[in-house]
Structure formats: C-alpha cells, structure tokens
Amino acid sequence: MAVKLHGLAMSSCTALVLSCIHEKGVDFELVPVNLSAGQHKQPPFLAKNPFGLIPVLEDGDLTLFESRAISTYIAEKFKETGHDLMRHNNRNEAALVKVWAEVESQNYHPAISPIVYQFLVAPLLGQNPNQEIINTNLEKLSKVLDVYEAKLSTTKYLAGDFYSLADLHHFPSTYYFMKSPWASLVNDRPHVKAWWEDISSRPASVKVAEGMVLGQK
Ligand code: GS8
C-alpha cells in the first residue's frame, strides 16, 4: 500500500521527505495541502498534526509529522531496499549518521533557513527581506560551513565515506540557498562545493528539485 504524504513539492520540509522516498523507491501519493486557504489550520488537518504544519505522512494506521522523523522512519522501515541511508549494519557508522543529522537540525538548518525565508519566501508574501536577519545568519552559516569544510576534507560525506540520511537532510534548504546571491559560501569552500555537487546530482535529488519551484501550488 502506498504511503500518503500530505504536503507540497515546493516546501522544503516536504522535499526532505520526498528525497528519502525517492532514494528508497517507496510507492507514495502526494496529497496537496492548500496553505493559502488555511487548510492546514482546519480540524481535519490538525487531527493529523496538531501544530498545523506540513508535511504529514500516513502509512496505514500510523500518522507522523516532523519531516526528519518521517524520513528516519522511512529509512528504517525500508532499510533493505534502495540505498542504506542509516548504515544499519554498523553501529558506529549508524551513530555517526545520527550525529550529523543532529548537526543539520541544530546548527545548519537554524542558520540557513532564515536566509532562504528572507530571500525567497518573504517577497512572495509581499514582505521586504530583512537584511539584518540575513547578515546575522550568513555569519552563523559561515562558521558551520568552516566545520563542514574541515570534515569533508577527511571524508567524502558528513558521517563518513558513504552517502547517508545526514547528507540527504541538507538537500532542500541548500537547493534554495544556492539560488541566492550568497551561494559563494558553498562554492568558495572546495570540499563543501564538491559534496554539494555530489549530493544534488543524485537521481533522487534531481527528481525532487523538479517540484521545487516556489510560488507553485
Ligand atoms: C517544520 C514544518 C514547517 O515549518 C518539519 O516538519 O520539519 N519542523 C517541522 N512546515 C512549513 C512548510 S516548510 O517548507 C509549513 O507548514 N508552513 C505553513 C505555515 O507556517 O502556516
């Protein structure tokens, strides 16, 4: 039975789950949520995610929200098919995948996401980008990327010499960031640049990027 993903292909949180779904070759149905009509704040959707945010995954009787938890569930449930995103046969490598997935969620995402929001989303909502927020977060992101540059000069991917869920979680926000005037933060760091070129050219990433056109329904 296909899993049901409630969300929008252009939303970076939905795209994170879609990247995992495509890596694993999981049968799925994308159920669009009409954000402009506030569908996600209405009782039927709130029953699936009380925080009223996309994405939500339904797999039979199981309902999940929080994109990273959803992708982890998919990577674990379908561990035998497609690419092994969790290194489930090697406890140490699996632990390192979790470490770098946490780094994405605790260090990388909090810095990159306000930049993407101010640069790409605010104008769509008729707001002026807040340059102070952008500058503060560019500074934070630079520091995180210095750590990445050092790490990626020792291993091909973040958790080791294997592509994992930790790398995958970086794809959607970085995809939008690379359209900004500050893409040089990635391009000027040779190991980060090579890593980005590698992870963004995976067939699953290319497929997900096709739907990442902001402003679409
Ligand atoms: C964040 C969900 C979220 O912000 C996750 O799933 O990772 N930590 C959660 N969803 C956004 C779209 S993100 O592209 C959302 O639903 N926004 C609508 C709103 O804020 O009303």
Coordinates of all heavy atoms in Angstrom, one line a residue, residues 10-14 35 40-41 52-55 65-68, ligand 1:
M10 N 7.0 22.0 -3.4 CA 7.9 23.1 -3.3 C 8.4 23.4 -1.9 O 9.3 24.2 -1.7 CB 7.3 24.4 -3.9 CG 6.1 24.8 -3.1 SD 5.6 26.5 -3.4 CE 4.3 26.7 -2.2
S11 N 7.7 22.9 -0.9 CA 8.0 23.1 0.5 C 9.2 22.3 0.9 O 9.3 21.1 0.6 CB 6.8 22.8 1.4 OG 7.2 21.8 2.3
S12 N 10.2 23.0 1.5 CA 11.5 22.3 1.7 C 11.3 21.2 2.7 O 12.0 20.1 2.6 CB 12.6 23.3 2.3 OG 12.1 24.0 3.4
C13 N 10.4 21.3 3.7 CA 10.2 20.2 4.6 C 9.6 19.0 3.9 O 9.9 17.8 4.2 CB 9.3 20.6 5.8 SG 9.8 22.1 6.6
T14 N 8.7 19.2 3.0 CA 8.1 18.1 2.2 C 9.2 17.5 1.3 O 9.3 16.3 1.2 CB 6.9 18.6 1.3 OG1 6.0 19.4 2.2 CG2 6.2 17.5 0.6
L35 N -2.3 25.7 1.5 CA -1.9 26.6 2.5 C -2.5 27.9 2.5 O -2.9 28.5 3.5 CB -0.3 26.8 2.5 CG 0.5 25.5 2.7 CD1 2.0 25.9 2.8 CD2 0.1 24.7 4.0
H40 N -4.4 23.7 6.4 CA -3.5 23.1 7.5 C -3.9 23.6 8.9 O -3.4 23.1 9.8 CB -2.0 23.3 7.2 CG -1.6 24.8 7.0 ND1 -2.4 25.7 6.2 CD2 -0.6 25.5 7.5 CE1 -1.8 26.8 6.3 NE2 -0.7 26.8 7.0
K41 N -4.7 24.6 9.0 CA -5.1 25.1 10.3 C -6.6 24.7 10.6 O -7.2 25.1 11.6 CB -5.0 26.6 10.3 CG -3.6 27.2 10.0 CD -2.5 26.7 10.9 CE -1.2 27.3 10.5 NZ 0.0 26.7 11.1
G52 N -0.3 22.1 13.0 CA -0.8 22.7 11.7 C 0.3 23.0 10.7 O 0.3 24.1 10.1
L53 N 1.2 22.1 10.5 CA 2.3 22.3 9.6 C 2.4 21.1 8.7 O 2.1 20.0 9.1 CB 3.6 22.5 10.3 CG 3.7 23.8 11.2 CD1 5.0 23.7 12.1 CD2 3.7 25.1 10.4
I54 N 2.9 21.4 7.4 CA 3.2 20.2 6.5 C 4.7 19.9 6.7 O 5.5 20.8 7.1 CB 2.9 20.6 5.1 CG1 3.6 21.9 4.6 CG2 1.4 20.7 4.9 CD1 3.5 22.1 3.1
P55 N 5.1 18.7 6.4 CA 4.4 17.6 5.9 C 3.8 16.7 7.0 O 4.3 16.7 8.1 CB 5.4 16.8 5.1 CG 6.7 17.0 5.9 CD 6.6 18.4 6.5
F65 N 4.3 13.4 11.9 CA 4.7 14.7 11.4 C 6.1 14.9 11.8 O 6.7 14.0 12.4 CB 3.7 15.8 11.9 CG 3.5 15.9 13.4 CD1 4.4 16.6 14.2 CD2 2.5 15.1 14.0 CE1 4.2 16.7 15.6 CE2 2.3 15.2 15.4 CZ 3.1 16.0 16.2
E66 N 6.7 16.1 11.5 CA 8.1 16.4 11.7 C 8.9 15.7 10.6 O 9.1 14.4 10.6 CB 8.7 16.1 13.0 CG 8.3 17.1 14.1 CD 8.8 18.5 13.8 OE1 9.8 18.7 13.1 OE2 8.2 19.4 14.3
S67 N 9.3 16.5 9.6 CA 9.9 15.9 8.4 C 11.1 14.9 8.6 O 11.3 13.9 8.0 CB 10.4 17.0 7.4 OG 11.3 17.9 8.0
R68 N 12.0 15.3 9.6 CA 13.2 14.5 9.8 C 12.8 13.2 10.5 O 13.4 12.1 10.2 CB 14.2 15.3 10.7 CG 14.8 16.4 9.9 CD 15.5 17.4 10.9 NE 16.0 18.6 10.1 CZ 15.3 19.6 9.7 NH1 14.0 19.7 10.1 NH2 15.8 20.6 9.0
Ligands
GS8_1 C1 8.6 22.2 10.3 C2 7.4 22.2 9.4 C3 7.1 23.5 8.7 O1 7.6 24.6 9.1 C4 9.2 19.8 10.0 O2 8.3 19.1 9.5 O3 10.4 19.7 9.7 N1 9.9 21.1 12.0 C5 8.9 20.9 11.0 N2 6.3 23.4 7.6 C6 6.1 24.6 6.9 C7 6.5 24.4 5.4 S1 8.2 24.1 5.4 O4 8.6 24.2 3.9 C8 4.6 25.0 6.9 O5 3.8 24.1 7.1 N3 4.3 26.2 6.9 C9 2.9 26.7 6.9 C10 2.6 27.7 8.0 O6 3.6 28.1 8.7 O7 1.5 28.1 8.1

